[in-house]
Amino acid sequence: MAETFDVPIRDESIRLGQFLKLASLIESGAEAKEVIADGMVSVNGEVEVRRGRQLQQGDVVAIGETSARVAHF
């Protein structure tokens, strides 16, 4: 698997769909909805199908070989 990169967020938590866009793992909300519904996204190693899942600092989100970790400023 490729190396995980940190993506800083301003608040205590962020929704999965928003984080995917912020981390540039996808290009749009519509694309986020599709990849999540298709079971292509995992959070901390487990497939996640809820676009509104709240992520906290330290959570790792992966699509295929690319993964990003939620970090604070």
Side-chain angles (χ1 to χ4, degrees), residues 36-72:
I36 293 168
D38 289 345
M40 298 172 60
V41 178
S42 68
V43 177
N44 300 326
E46 296 184 11
V47 173
E48 180 58 67
V49 294
R50 297 172 296 160
R51 187 170 65 168
R53 157 93 183 252
Q54 292 291 319
L55 303 175
Q56 309 293 325
Q57 181 176 4
D59 285 342
V60 176
V61 176
I63 296 180
E65 296 295 313
T66 306
S67 60
R69 181 182 304 107
V70 179
H72 281 288

Side-chain angles (χ1 to χ4, degrees), residues 5-60:
F5 61 96
D6 287 339
V7 179
I9 63 170
R10 292 186 189 144
D11 299 319
E12 291 296 314
S13 64
I14 187 170
R15 289 187 178 145
L16 178 58
Q18 294 171 322
F19 183 77
L20 291 172
K21 289 189 289 185
L22 180 65
S24 298
L25 295 174
I26 51 94
E27 293 185 15
S28 69
E31 185 179 358
K33 185 176 182 178
E34 287 179 26
V35 296
I36 293 168
D38 289 345
M40 298 172 60
V41 178
S42 68
V43 177
N44 300 326
E46 296 184 11
V47 173
E48 180 58 67
V49 294
R50 297 172 296 160
R51 187 170 65 168
R53 157 93 183 252
Q54 292 291 319
L55 303 175
Q56 309 293 325
Q57 181 176 4
D59 285 342
V60 176

